[in-house]
Amino acid sequence: MFDRTQHSTYVNISKTDPVCTVPPSAASLCFYDIIYGNGSVSAGFFSKEILTLSSSDNINGFLFGCGINQAGIFGDEAGIMDLSQEN
């Protein structure tokens, strides 16, 4: 399971960062929440990290939602990685 506190390259996105498109809140970080078609939900921090696909293939500055609260039909999974493009 990914533990954001154990990664020196992990960064929480600030709510003032241009990539943060959620409505303003009192929090200083950019939060996300999503409801999937099956009713499952995920909420957490909008984040940036180095995504390692292989020993020679890395994506620096990979933006993703790092879930801290999930509910629904995730079963034994700690989370999901959705690589779809949503605009």
Side-chain angles (χ1 to χ4, degrees):
M1 179 169 23
F2 180 77
D3 181 352
R4 67 186 188 275
T5 65
Q6 300 300 310
H7 292 259
S8 62
T9 55
Y10 173 87
V11 177
N12 285 320
I13 303 295
S14 166
K15 74 175 182 182
T16 59
D17 191 300
V19 300
C20 184
T21 60
V22 297
S25 69
S28 62
L29 299 177
C30 187
F31 290 94
Y32 81 91
D33 58 50
I34 187 168
I35 302 173
Y36 292 93
N38 65 12
S40 297
V41 297
S42 177
F45 302 106
F46 192 44
S47 310
K48 186 176 359 178
E49 176 62 287
I50 298 171
L51 177 63
T52 302
L53 302 172
S54 71
S55 60
S56 62
D57 195 10
N58 298 312
I59 300 171
N60 292 318
F62 180 75
L63 298 170
F64 69 105
C66 185
I68 57 172
N69 187 14
Q70 282 75 235
I73 61 169
F74 293 110
D76 293 332
E77 303 302 320
I80 60 174
M81 185 169 185
D82 181 354
L83 296 175
S84 66
Q85 171 104 17
E86 183 177 319
N87 291 324

